[in-house]
Amino acid sequence: MPGYPALPGGIAYGGDYNPEQWPEEVWHEDVRLMREAGVNLVSLGIFSWGLIEPSEGVYDFDGLDRVLDLLDSAGIKADLATPTSSPPVWLRHRYPASRLVDSAGHVIAGGSRHSFCPSSPDYAAASARVTERLAARYARHPAVAMWHVHNEYGWANAHCYCETSAEAFRDWLRDRHGSVAALNHAWGTTFWGLSYGSFDEVEPPRLAPPGLLTALQLDFMRFSVDAHIANFRRERDIIRRHCDLPVTTNFMIPNCKPMDYWRWAGEVDVVANDHYLDAARTDGHIELAMAADLTRSVAGGRPWMLMEHSTGAVNWQPRNIAKRPGEMRRNSLVHVARGSDSVLFFQWRASRYGAEKFHSAMLPHAGTDSEVWREVTGLGADLRRLADVRGTRVEAEVAVVWDWESYWALELEWRPSVDLRFRERVEAFYEALWREHVTVDFVHPSADVSAYRMVVAPSAYLLTEASAKNLHRYVESGGALVVSYFSGIVNENDTIHGGPCPGVLRDVLGVSVEEFHPLRESGTVSVARPPSRPPSGPPSGPPSGPPSGPPAGSPSGPPEPAPDERATGRIWSERVRLAGARAVRVFADGPDAGHPAVTRHELGAGTAWYVATALDAELRGLLAEALDQAGVSRPRDLPDTLEFVRRGAHVFLVNHGDEPVTVHGVTGVGVFDGVGHAGAVTVPPGEVTVIRA
């Protein structure tokens, strides 16, 4: 499989380039300014299908030829796209069966991208033809460094409910289940007497009365992912017949819920991701770090590509807040710190018309006499100094479980509480770990986790027996597992595991749950330490992995609470019964007063923790306790405004606060200023310092 694209200058820098929006004389100015900014890679041709094939079977490559030759003359490489995310207008009119249909049966109009059915044979044939022509023409062009298939699969057409999709879904079900009897068993269709007599009777989960079979919905989501992957494979394989350059597509991790990126990961030569801050969030830098860690994890720990982000405001949020001075640099370098070997933007030059004319760009409407342009050129210089970061890896001692299928299943209708949200708990645990300066990987629950000192499962509602056994073996072998409430409840078909909850996690956690007690909106419960607390056992951790024991220094995080100090829980409470575990926190009031709220279970050589309510501020202290007992190393005595990440021989220090921060225990040379540091580095407010050890 081809590796990361070969590029001059180390870290890839640039963005989406849409020269078709401008007269040709502007192209020469673009290339001159790209060189000034340090751009070495642009994504080209993403929305050009209607230009290079203006009518079916009629091709015009003259403009693309000239642009590629111009880029090559300037030493700028192209990530050349197949333009198949935005079919030409003629396709939907000549082939009306290719149009996208929503769950209510409405045919979705054109005038935007992604307005096609992913299962359409007409779309498949047309997209294959244009890909073949592109690959044959440009496979050996010296400017082409890699290929970019489609754009943001699942953005607007994750699911189609037309009859073509329905037939494809039935074929998919035949392959998955084998017989209609097996399908009925898996889906539990005896409930409400909804058994099928043949696969031909199955409909997609179109608009229906409440209570639609949840297993049907889950299988349709899986089918839809496979339909998009099949489209990608078709184009990728055409390209591979012509050349051996890397082929990718741009994911939207973690913000495209319908796409299961664990299933996508093995299809691309290099994982690429688009990430945009939610301007409404004041903690956007933490969500950015989570997205970068998750993307690196989908890439299997290998370097990945930041294919799109923004220099400033985007155009599609309710309030498109511009980034403050220095924020774009911080955002970009955090992605690099957490494994990206590229910093690419949407887009190079701001558009004057169309849906994204108010989207920021590397070259803004204000031109080169602007703060944005000065930051763009400054970042280009920084990335050239970081060239030797390329190819290095980020190591983590803690893993967080993330499963898209569990995400889908948890958020179907008629769960015990509308406040049960997959990302709500994942982000709560991630934020607590981030503030503890712990770098994490994300893992599928079936993955080999033996190298990690701690595994955290914040939201594992859907968990197969095989995945539960995997976590059980991990703990028995010396690992530390932390599980949050409403986990281990159902199997892959949304069928509740036999016996009391938490189902397949009962044995590893050493608890059972008699009854769920979701809280009212804004309701809370108090959590306290038990009246007497037996001494903790010795720290335990997996037999392999990084050296055990935290570095010298006082513990990070909030101080240990006094025995009578209470924490607050939200969203959830439940009647926990001990079955081998011991209570380390109890509910002090509410429906489960006096019963365990947090438990710890010694199993084999390891430990399993269970948290039965939504702790917020107090969650960090609890995790710090578990991290210390698991021997997880991390920096100490740092404010949680300072982001600390090691990548290879480089230490990235990002100050998100308004005061300077001195970091002790760091020795090396500053990458950006060449200054040597012997044991301490002071990072100014809003700045990024990178030290090469």
Side-chain angles (χ1 to χ4, degrees):
M1 185 174 75
Y4 204 92
L7 296 171
I11 303 294
Y13 188 49
D16 282 34
Y17 183 37
N18 299 290
E20 64 273 12
Q21 297 179 13
W22 303 90
E24 191 161 350
E25 58 266 23
V26 176
W27 304 355
H28 294 272
E29 180 187 31
D30 284 333
V31 167
R32 177 180 64 81
L33 292 174
M34 286 178 189
R35 288 175 60 87
E36 181 179 325
V39 167
N40 57 15
L41 182 71
V42 294
S43 300
L44 187 67
I46 291 174
F47 303 116
S48 63
W49 193 349
L51 298 174
I52 62 178
E53 191 180 4
S55 59
E56 186 173 18
V58 176
Y59 296 93
D60 180 0
F61 294 107
D62 288 348
L64 191 53
D65 287 346
R66 293 197 301 276
V67 171
L68 281 167
D69 290 345
L70 181 60
L71 291 170
D72 183 53
S73 70
I76 299 169
K77 297 295 184 180
D79 167 33
L80 185 58
T82 64
T84 51
S85 71
S86 190
V89 174
W90 57 258
L91 185 103
R92 64 182 289 107
H93 288 278
R94 180 163 292 192
Y95 302 104
S98 70
R99 298 177 184 181
L100 184 66
V101 175
D102 71 10
S103 63
H106 302 133
V107 176
I108 303 301
S112 182
R113 59 183 175 132
H114 282 206
S115 60
F116 64 89
C117 167
S119 299
S120 164
D122 297 320
Y123 168 80
S127 61
R129 287 194 300 269
V130 72
T131 299
E132 180 72 40
R133 295 297 292 264
L134 279 164
R137 189 176 187 92
Y138 297 115
R140 305 289 179 227
H141 195 288
V144 178
M146 63 182 298
W147 288 84
H148 183 308
V149 169
H150 200 270
N151 187 68
E152 296 184 331
Y153 280 97
W155 172 75
N157 64 342
H159 313 296
C160 181
Y161 299 85
C162 71
E163 194 51 41
T164 299
S165 293
E167 285 297 332
F169 180 43
R170 293 173 192 123
D171 289 341
W172 185 93
L173 291 173
R174 290 184 182 96
D175 289 341
R176 179 175 175 86
H177 295 283
S179 70
V180 73
L183 178 142
N184 282 321
H185 176 73
W187 287 6
T189 56
T190 53
F191 184 77
W192 283 355
L194 296 173
S195 299
Y196 295 96
S198 73
F199 284 106
D200 292 337
E201 295 176 358
V202 178
E203 298 175 84
R206 296 174 174 133
L207 187 63
L212 191 63
L213 285 165
T214 54
L216 162 64
Q217 295 183 67
L218 285 176
D219 266 355
F220 190 73
M221 293 174 188
R222 296 177 179 117
F223 153 76
S224 298
V225 173
D226 285 352
H228 287 287
I229 290 176
N231 285 327
F232 172 80
R233 286 174 178 157
R234 183 186 308 110
E235 296 182 37
R236 178 201 63 195
D237 293 349
I238 291 169
I239 293 167
R240 284 182 174 170
R241 290 200 296 269
H242 291 274
C243 68
D244 59 0
L245 293 174
V247 183
T248 192
T249 188
N250 45 339
F251 298 161
M252 295 175 286
I253 303 172
N255 296 314
C256 185
K257 176 183 172 183
M259 292 293 105
D260 182 345
Y261 290 115
W262 295 125
R263 295 167 74 179
W264 271 98
E267 304 293 340
V268 296
D269 295 328
V270 57
V271 166
N273 194 49
D274 296 352
H275 183 268
Y276 294 94
L277 293 178
D278 180 347
R281 296 182 63 151
T282 58
D283 63 346
H285 57 290
I286 301 178
E287 192 275 338
L288 183 155
M290 185 186 80
D293 285 343
L294 181 54
T295 304
R296 182 187 69 251
S297 302
V298 169
R302 293 179 294 276
W304 52 278
M305 297 187 74
L306 175 61
M307 188 64 77
E308 290 183 25
H309 76 314
S310 68
T311 59
V314 300
N315 65 286
W316 41 267
Q317 294 180 17
R319 296 172 182 83
N320 295 302
I321 300 170
K323 294 181 180 179
R324 293 177 297 172
E327 188 175 4
M328 182 267 285
R329 180 175 183 262
R330 291 195 302 276
N331 293 166
S332 301
L333 293 178
V334 168
H335 283 294
V336 174
R338 295 181 182 271
S340 178
D341 274 358
S342 73
V343 174
L344 305 175
F345 295 90
F346 183 86
Q347 59 180 325
W348 162 250
R349 182 184 283 268
S351 300
R352 292 182 57 206
Y353 46 80
E356 296 182 297
K357 57 184 171 288
F358 296 116
H359 197 293
S360 59
M362 299 178 77
L363 183 58
H365 292 300
T368 57
D369 187 15
S370 63
E371 186 64 33
V372 167
W373 176 252
R374 286 184 282 274
E375 289 200 24
V376 163
T377 56
L379 179 59
D382 285 341
L383 294 175
R384 289 192 293 276
R385 297 183 185 102
L386 279 170
D388 59 347
V389 169
R390 178 178 160 165
T392 61
R393 293 200 177 206
V394 178
E395 302 296 335
E397 297 180 38
V398 176
V400 177
V401 172
W402 179 294
D403 182 8
W404 271 277
E405 293 196 0
S406 188
Y407 191 171
W408 302 338
L410 177 68
E411 298 189 2
L412 294 175
E413 64 270 31
W414 291 2
R415 298 324 188 203
S417 172
V418 296
D419 298 319
L420 290 167
R421 288 289 180 262
F422 179 85
R423 283 188 60 169
E424 187 277 332
R425 276 299 86 192
V426 172
E427 292 195 32
F429 275 77
Y430 183 88
E431 178 182 347
L433 291 165
W434 187 93
R435 294 189 186 281
E436 276 294 301
H437 305 98
V438 174
T439 301
V440 308
D441 288 339
F442 285 86
V443 293
H444 188 273
S446 66
D448 179 4
V449 292
S450 59
Y452 297 102
R453 297 196 176 281
M454 179 182 286
V455 173
V456 178
S459 185
Y461 163 72
L462 185 156
L463 195 68
T464 66
E465 289 187 12
S467 292
K469 289 177 180 177
N470 180 50
L471 297 175
H472 194 284
R473 287 191 299 270
Y474 166 74
V475 174
E476 282 192 320
S477 299
L481 175 67
V482 181
V483 177
S484 187
Y485 57 85
F486 208 54
S487 290
I489 308 299
V490 300
N491 69 8
E492 62 272 24
N493 297 310
D494 200 42
T495 297
I496 290 180
H497 291 291
C501 294
V504 287
L505 292 175
R506 279 196 311 273
D507 292 343
V508 68
L509 295 174
V511 300
S512 66
V513 175
E514 180 180 337
E515 189 172 6
F516 303 135
H517 293 131
L519 302 180
R520 290 183 171 85
E521 185 177 8
S522 303
T524 62
V525 289
S526 297
V527 174
R529 294 187 183 275
S532 61
R533 185 183 182 198
S536 300
S540 59
S544 61
S548 63
S554 59
S556 64
E560 184 77 2
D564 60 347
E565 187 174 334
R566 294 187 176 189
T568 300
R570 297 182 301 107
I571 297 174
W572 195 258
S573 178
E574 60 188 24
R575 185 64 51 85
V576 176
R577 292 187 176 274
L578 301 177
R582 63 180 177 86
V584 295
R585 306 287 193 280
V586 296
F587 290 108
D589 55 27
D592 298 298
H595 290 271
V598 179
T599 64
R600 181 180 175 188
H601 186 214
E602 309 296 338
L603 179 68
T607 305
W609 301 71
Y610 183 59
V611 185
T613 188
L615 298 175
D616 286 327
E618 298 85 356
L619 180 61
R620 180 182 171 187
L622 178 66
L623 284 176
E625 182 180 338
L627 290 164
D628 287 341
Q629 293 184 11
V632 174
S633 59
R634 59 202 189 275
R636 306 295 179 126
D637 297 326
L638 290 178
D640 58 11
T641 55
L642 194 287
E643 189 167 355
F644 182 110
V645 185
R646 291 185 185 273
R647 181 177 176 188
H650 293 79
V651 177
F652 287 74
L653 306 171
V654 186
N655 188 350
H656 297 282
D658 298 323
E659 301 293 333
V661 176
T662 298
V663 182
H664 297 282
V666 177
T667 297
V669 177
V671 169
F672 302 135
D673 58 12
V675 174
H677 300 272
V681 179
T682 298
V683 187
E687 289 295 324
V688 181
T689 298
V690 182
I691 305 297
R692 192 181 193 283

